[in-house]
Amino acid sequence: NDVLVSEDIPVNLLIPVKTRQKTLLVNAISNYVANQEVLERLVLFAHVFNWDKQRFLKFMRPSDKYNHTYSDNRFVFSDEILSEGFGFRLLNHTKKMTADEGRAYIQGIEGLYDHFDMQTALKKYPIRVVQAFGEINAQLQGELVKKVGDMNIYYIR
């Protein structure tokens, strides 16, 4: 039941494929996970790596960059693609929203981000290992155990 999480987004997509461990980033469609759980995991991910609200909102807003993912074989998960709209894609896949739905969606995720209870989330998603480019949220009480290239490996008690 332990959770591993990496700040390098593609690594999270490989964790459940290559190991028996879980990660925070899951696709609601292919994993049959409720949207609320996917959203909680995404907010926790943002807080683990100390993302500010603007970075989180950019990650969670719909993005036109995904319009050609199935028709263009040259589509690559670059940092630019992953930082803009990837959270929306994990949560909502290809869902279209009206302007009113979009505003309500953004207000809802802003509220969740602002009032997020990290300690409660950590009980639900017991993170044990974090791979990060820099420091992680102090609430995790992580111990830096190793540095591999430009990544820090933290063990969470």
Side-chain angles (χ1 to χ4, degrees), residues 50-51 98 100:
N50 297 309
W51 287 9
T98 66
D100 287 343

Side-chain angles (χ1 to χ4, degrees), residues 42 55 58 76 85 89 95:
L42 292 168
R55 182 173 179 187
K58 182 178 177 185
V76 176
R89 189 74 172 193
K95 181 179 180 178

